């Protein structure tokens, strides 16, 4: 059992001659597993894909919020138009409903009101999406620098052998 393990390791190994300061012809064993680090490379690939996905989401957040603002302005202008159109109507119930529509539209779309739907959406997006993505992007820059530093050191180590 032990000898079969050595045979497998020997079959996977590549014999290389290196000339070092200690003498020409000194032999060293390099394993193919040392030449590539599949776990590390897989982690880097997964990290890069995740980072790109979050970057895409972050890039589209401004456009999404502009769309929400535009929608809120449209709802408010529609409610204002309905209220203005029916303000001089003789049907008191229609006038009352149009004023109620305007008030409800303001409750939904007014940005500065703490309980409006648009305000809650903005707060939730900021807290649950924008802040964590921003934090990830900052950490990703630090990790990327560390990975580049690791890669340089690994190349230096390989070239020194």
């Amino acid at each position: 059992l032990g000898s079969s393990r050595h045979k497998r390791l020997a079959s996977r190994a590549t014999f290389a001659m290196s000339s070092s300061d200690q003498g020409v012809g000194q032999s060293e064993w390099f394993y193919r597993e040392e030449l590539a680090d599949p776990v590390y490379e897989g982690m880097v690939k997964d990290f890069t894909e995740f980072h790109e996905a979050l970057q895409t989401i972050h890039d589209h957040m401004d456009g999404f919020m502009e769309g929400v603002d535009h929608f809120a302005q449209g709802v408010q202008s529609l409610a204002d138009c309905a209220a203005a159109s029916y303000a001089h109507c003789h049907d008191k119930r229609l006038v009352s409903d149009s004023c109620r529509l305007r008030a409800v539209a303001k409750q939904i779309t007014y940005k500065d009101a703490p309980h409006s739907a648009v305000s809650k959406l903005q707060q939730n997006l900021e807290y649950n999406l924008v802040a964590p993505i921003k934090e990830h992007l900052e950490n990703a820059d630090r990790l990327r620098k560390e990975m580049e530093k690791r890669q340089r050191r690994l190349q230096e180590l390989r070239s020194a052998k």
Side-chain angles (χ1 to χ4, degrees), residues 31-44:
Y31 292 96
R32 289 184 188 142
E33 289 85 11
E34 289 180 355
L35 298 177
D37 188 356
V39 174
Y40 175 75
E41 297 300 326
M43 287 173 41
V44 170

Side-chain angles (χ1 to χ4, degrees), residues 24 27 78 119:
V24 177
S27 62
L78 180 65
S119 176

